[in-house]
Amino acid sequence: MTLLEAHGLTRHFDGLKAVDGVDFALRRGEIRAIIGPNGAGKSTFVGLLSGRITPSAGRIAFEGRDITGLPAHRRVRLGIAYTFQITNIYPALTALENVAIAAQSRLRPRLLRPGASEAEILKAAREALARVGLADRVQEPAGALAYGHQRLLEVAMGLALRPKLLILDEPTQGLSEAEIANFIALVRRVAEGATVLLIEHNMDVVMALASRITVLERGRLLAEGSPAEIVANAAVQSAYLGSPA
Ligand code: ADP
Ligand code: MG
């Protein structure tokens, strides 16, 4: 079943077509990797899906509903969570406080509706931290965490939103090999409850996790398929993976 669909998705920056007429569909429950050379438009593409960037043209539907004009915070409420390529935490606040702030944006009171109590928000935040393996770091200032733990903290901030779709932009960038192995196990656990869209440069991570791969090049869809199909794709090899050995 289709969770998210985009048609003709386009974003120009002045003359530059960062994303250029991309058709895209994501099935519920899949782990999709987006790969492509630097500057291919990957971050812009997921920025369009999350609502952080407005499209120049094209439409996006989530669970059959047109969300093209919805701002990012409304998409979060529908179940679309994302982490940035660049670390996006409040360093002076504790890990728990960072996640609680994220959880609050899902659980906070709305007009004419009772909101979650502070205790409920903290409970959701603790659960999300436990899921990424940071249960024993909740009271540490986020800025004092090791870099790898900061990236996990960001994933916890996404998970605290209990998303239907979790978008991760280069989550393993700067992680050690041990941290990457840990991250792969984490995404496998997380994926049991959510659909994951992952921008990733590390092909080991892509191969370990992705059920399908989408390849972007110069803002366009270059190829899409199973990991085996993508590795064997001649256009992908020359554009991205380098010429065959
Ligand atoms: P990727 O994530 O695949 O490396 P990006 O989506 O970040 O690629 O960028 C795609 C292209 O769009 C690049 O040429 C980049 O310089 C350009 N670009 C991205 N964001 C902006 C912006 N806010 N203003 C101008 N150009 C941008
Ligand atoms: Mg990027």
Side-chain angles (χ1 to χ4, degrees):
M1 194 182 133
T2 302
L3 180 67
L4 178 141
E5 242 177 314
H7 289 288
L9 203 56
T10 298
R11 172 66 203 215
H12 300 170
F13 291 113
D14 301 317
L16 177 84
K17 290 175 177 170
V19 173
D20 188 10
V22 173
D23 292 329
F24 181 78
L26 204 55
R27 289 181 48 173
R28 200 182 287 276
E30 75 170 301
I31 302 180
R32 176 73 64 90
I34 299 187
I35 66 172
N38 274 330
K42 304 179 299 295
S43 291
T44 304
F45 181 69
V46 300
L48 292 167
L49 299 184
S50 67
R52 197 166 44 81
I53 300 172
T54 43
S56 310
R59 322 271 342 147
I60 308 165
F62 186 71
E63 295 189 306
R65 169 182 172 181
D66 191 307
I67 60 162
T68 312
L70 276 192
H73 69 274
R74 299 273 309 278
R75 296 189 202 193
V76 167
R77 291 228 171 124
L78 293 179
I80 302 176
Y82 59 97
T83 68
F84 294 101
Q85 184 167 8
I86 295 154
T87 302
N88 187 43
I89 56 173
Y90 300 101
L93 301 183
T94 66
L96 184 65
E97 287 164 341
N98 269 277
V99 182
I101 288 168
Q104 210 167 14
S105 68
R106 173 175 63 90
L107 297 169
R108 80 177 159 212
R110 288 181 237 176
L111 199 62
L112 304 178
R113 273 214 239 167
S117 68
E118 196 181 320
E120 283 173 300
I121 288 168
L122 289 174
K123 181 165 173 279
R126 281 180 193 279
E127 279 170 11
L129 282 161
R131 280 178 86 187
V132 303
L134 290 178
D136 57 348
R137 299 293 162 96
V138 292
Q139 297 304 344
E140 264 184 56
L145 293 174
Y147 179 76
H149 286 164
Q150 291 186 6
R151 302 302 321 237
L152 291 176
L153 174 60
E154 290 177 291
V155 176
M157 289 163 74
L159 288 177
L161 301 165
R162 301 234 173 91
K164 293 173 182 162
L165 170 60
L166 179 62
I167 301 174
L168 303 169
D169 192 348
E170 301 204 19
T172 67
Q173 200 180 38
L175 298 193
S176 70
E177 292 217 0
E179 286 168 337
I180 287 175
N182 178 35
F183 174 81
I184 289 171
L186 164 67
V187 172
R188 287 210 177 108
R189 279 200 309 276
V190 164
E192 282 165 26
T195 309
V196 179
L197 180 59
L198 175 74
I199 297 179
E200 183 57 62
H201 271 301
N202 183 324
M203 285 307 286
D204 293 337
V205 176
V206 171
M207 290 300 161
L209 288 174
S211 40
R212 284 178 76 74
I213 300 173
T214 297
V215 188
L216 293 182
E217 193 203 18
R218 292 182 207 178
R220 288 179 165 258
L221 190 76
L222 179 69
E224 199 165 83
S226 69
E229 286 166 345
I230 294 304
V231 166
N233 183 302
V236 176
Q237 283 177 1
S238 62
Y240 180 64
L241 299 170
S243 47

